[in-house]
């Protein structure tokens, strides 16, 4: 079941809080030396917002890349389609249909 944006943001907040302190390396303006400091509250807030948005995008659209990676190569799909047509089996019993249907079933769109 899909989570709400608020639930995903709460998860992101907890994950970032669990990783505290987070350090940043930057050049000192006066000396040019590299210094380490803990993130500011504003930087933590931005990190939390970014992670929350990433989680939301993954939930809403992650299935697209999962499907793309799971589909057989286009040449194989065309070959399966040709064999289905040639065998007069361009229906739900063909390998073409069954293979693509499995990818869709294994990587459903969120509801």
């Amino acid at each position: 079941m899909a989570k709400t944006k608020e639930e995903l943001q709460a998860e992101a907040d907890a994950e970032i809080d669990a990783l505290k302190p987070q350090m940043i390396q930057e050049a000192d303006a006066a000396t040019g030396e590299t210094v380490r400091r803990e993130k500011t509250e504003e930087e933590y807030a931005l990190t939390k917002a970014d992670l929350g948005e990433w989680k939301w995008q993954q939930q809403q659209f992650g299935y697209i890349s999962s499907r793309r990676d799971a589909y057989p190569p286009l040449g194989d799909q065309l070959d399966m389609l040709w064999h289905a047509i040639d065998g007069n089996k361009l229906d739900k019993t063909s390998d073409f249909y069954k293979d693509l249907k499995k990818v869709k079933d294994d990587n459903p769109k969120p509801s």
Side-chain angles (χ1 to χ4, degrees):
M1 174 173 231
K3 295 180 181 178
T4 66
K5 196 166 192 173
E6 291 76 19
E7 290 170 327
L8 293 169
Q9 187 60 61
E11 283 181 10
D13 293 350
E15 288 174 27
I16 297 302
D17 285 340
L19 295 173
K20 285 183 177 179
Q22 292 183 353
M23 306 303 283
I24 292 178
Q25 272 189 276
E26 60 188 8
D28 182 272
T31 65
E33 292 181 20
T34 301
V35 295
R36 288 174 45 101
R37 66 168 178 80
E38 185 176 358
K39 286 184 174 183
T40 65
E41 285 305 313
E42 184 177 292
E43 289 168 329
Y44 277 121
L46 183 57
T47 302
K48 290 175 181 181
D50 287 347
L51 182 57
E53 181 63 24
W54 181 84
K55 286 176 167 286
W56 176 253
Q57 293 293 325
Q58 280 299 109
Q59 176 179 280
Q60 297 305 107
F61 306 109
Y63 76 95
I64 294 171
S65 58
S66 296
R67 282 184 180 181
R68 183 181 54 240
D69 295 343
Y71 280 127
L74 189 54
D76 292 349
Q77 291 183 45
L78 291 171
D79 190 55
M80 287 187 288
L81 179 59
W82 185 89
H83 284 287
I85 293 169
D86 192 53
N88 205 23
K89 288 183 63 178
L90 192 55
D91 56 24
K92 292 183 177 185
T93 65
S94 69
D95 288 342
F96 175 70
Y97 177 83
K98 290 188 282 187
D99 285 2
L100 273 59
K101 174 79 167 124
K102 181 174 180 355
V103 170
K104 288 180 175 287
D105 290 345
D106 290 348
N107 302 284
K109 288 183 183 179
S111 48

